[in-house]
């Protein structure tokens, strides 16, 4: 491919290849997976990156805010605005947070190790465990100075929020509830604490996990959760978790009536063969139990 083969692409993908020295401070880059464009003149609202930040100055934990793709999957689009130096703040204003950087580097692996051990020692053969799945921490990123990601296990999929260096969550009791706001709405998190991870807060997305027939399917769903969470277009104005669940209860009542009618006629009620290709916001964020009018299930045993 030559630079002239496409008028909108001044360079080809190989012009970056992870070598920051090849990039001008003004260069705009495009994710080759979802085509999201990082423009230094605009920064990145999802990751709280201020306008004026070159791609080369992004923190190491930064990933595509749309598809969660790795930064080395971006290709050069064009040279960008020539007057980037006039924008504020300067790249040096993007201060490093050693505590946050350490969490984003270390905690995904720590959660995976802890819950693999729990699976092996305590959960084998338990009826609500989907043994076709494994344990994976997906898409951990910075949000409001805290680390946020998705934890997939054979028995649940949860959002996980970690404390920052100033937070003291040691006094929280396991199961304490809190509504936390995101661009798409406010969601209920439960406090949890394990010796291996310390305190954290978790929001149940799916439990149990029988909607997923493979680990790939579960991980792809987990990767889609965070972009949906930060997308204000998914917000249902005037509603909060309680209202969303009220609507879910109404939907569940309608389904129950249909099932009763089908049973009366000795015909099975139609059910989908698997999760829909495009899940609703309630299904992605609150999980299928909420879509059936049930509170998200968090297994007791301190496993949130």
């Amino acid at each position: 491919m030559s630079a002239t083969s496409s008028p909108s692409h001044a360079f080809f993908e190989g012009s970056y290849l992870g070598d920051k020295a090849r990039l001008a401070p003004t260069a705009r880059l495009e994710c080759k997976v979802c085509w999201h464009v990082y423009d230094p003149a605009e920064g990145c609202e999802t990751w709280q990156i201020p306008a004026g930040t070159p791609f080369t100055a992004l923190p190491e934990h930064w990933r595509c805010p749309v598809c969660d793709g790795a930064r080395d999957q971006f290709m050069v689009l064009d040279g960008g605005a020539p007057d980037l130096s006039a924008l504020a703040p300067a790249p040096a204003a993007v201060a490093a947070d050693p505590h946050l950087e350490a969490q984003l580097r270390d905690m995904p692996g720590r959660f995976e190790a802890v819950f693999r051990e729990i699976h092996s020692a305590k959960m084998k053969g338990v009826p609500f465990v989907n043994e076709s799945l494994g344990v994976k921490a997906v898409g951990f990123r910075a949000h409001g100075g805290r680390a946020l990601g998705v934890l997939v296990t054979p028995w649940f999929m949860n959002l996980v929020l970690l404390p920052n260096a100033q937070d003291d969550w040691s006094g929280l009791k396991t199961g304490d509830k809190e509504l936390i706001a995101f661009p798409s709405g406010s969601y209920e998190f439960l406090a949890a604490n394990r010796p291996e991870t310390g305190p954290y807060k978790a929001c149940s997305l799916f439990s149990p996990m029988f909607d997923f027939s493979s680990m790939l399917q579960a991980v792809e769903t987990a990767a889609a959760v965070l972009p949906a969470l930060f997308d204000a277009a998914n917000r249902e104005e005037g509603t909060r978790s309680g209202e969303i669940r009220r609507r879910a209860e109404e939907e569940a009542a309608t389904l129950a009536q249909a099932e009763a009618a089908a049973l009366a006629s000795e015909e099975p009620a139609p059910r989908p063969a698997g999760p829909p290709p495009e899940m609703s916001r309630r299904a992605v964020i609150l999980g299928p139990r909420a879509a059936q009018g049930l509170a998200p299930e968090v297994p007791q045993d301190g496993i949130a």
Side-chain angles (χ1 to χ4, degrees):
M1 179 187 295
S2 68
T4 59
S5 63
S6 172
S8 63
H9 288 68
F11 301 87
F12 53 89
E13 181 184 353
S15 64
Y16 171 43
L17 295 179
D19 183 1
K20 294 181 179 180
R22 296 171 178 246
L23 297 178
T26 57
R28 297 193 311 150
L29 283 89
E30 182 178 67
C31 176
K32 73 175 186 180
V33 178
C34 69
W35 312 116
H36 170 73
V37 174
Y38 177 79
D39 186 348
E42 298 178 0
C44 178
E45 182 178 357
T46 298
W47 285 85
Q48 300 178 329
I49 303 298
T53 304
F55 190 86
T56 54
L58 293 172
E60 291 301 319
H61 59 262
W62 186 89
R63 299 176 70 86
C64 177
V66 175
C67 71
D68 200 45
R71 58 191 295 155
D72 60 5
Q73 297 299 303
F74 277 68
M75 53 190 179
V76 177
L77 183 63
D78 56 42
D83 58 346
L84 177 64
S85 60
L87 296 173
V94 183
D97 182 340
H99 177 82
L100 180 59
E101 292 285 352
Q103 284 187 326
L104 292 169
R105 181 185 66 245
D106 301 334
M107 293 304 289
R110 191 174 301 178
F111 272 99
E112 289 177 353
V114 168
F115 282 90
R116 285 187 183 123
E117 176 62 25
I118 292 171
H119 181 211
S120 175
K122 297 182 179 181
M123 307 301 289
K124 290 289 187 180
V126 175
F128 58 78
V129 172
N130 183 346
E131 294 294 353
S132 66
L133 305 181
V135 175
K136 180 69 174 175
V138 180
F140 273 70
R141 63 181 64 185
H143 170 64
R146 299 184 178 96
L148 174 74
V150 181
L151 180 62
V152 176
T153 78
W155 61 99
F156 70 73
M157 183 190 298
N158 285 355
L159 285 169
V160 173
L161 182 67
L162 302 176
N164 62 32
Q166 290 73 45
D167 290 329
D168 182 7
W169 291 0
S170 60
L172 293 177
K173 297 179 181 179
T174 298
D176 282 353
K177 298 179 181 180
E178 178 183 0
L179 282 177
I180 298 179
F182 293 90
S184 60
S186 295
Y187 304 100
E188 184 179 271
F189 281 69
L190 303 182
N193 195 339
R194 302 197 64 83
E196 306 90 343
T197 64
Y200 60 96
K201 297 176 182 178
C203 174
S204 178
L205 302 175
F206 295 90
S207 180
M209 294 286 284
F210 293 114
D211 281 336
F212 302 99
S213 58
S214 69
M215 190 61 180
L216 176 61
Q217 185 185 30
V219 169
E220 287 179 343
T221 300
V225 164
L226 290 173
L229 193 68
F230 290 106
D231 188 351
N234 291 328
R235 190 178 189 93
E236 297 183 23
E237 293 298 337
T239 69
R240 296 174 70 87
S241 297
E243 175 64 14
I244 291 172
R245 291 185 182 180
R246 182 189 65 77
R247 294 186 181 184
E249 289 171 357
E250 293 175 351
E251 294 173 3
T254 301
L255 177 60
Q257 291 174 359
E259 289 177 334
L263 287 172
S265 62
E266 297 185 351
E267 294 180 0
R271 285 188 174 275
E278 296 183 3
M279 288 180 287
S280 69
R281 170 174 172 266
R282 289 190 293 276
V284 171
I285 301 299
L286 294 178
R289 287 179 60 82
Q292 298 171 26
L294 301 173
E297 177 180 337
V298 178
Q300 299 305 308
D301 192 34
I303 304 167

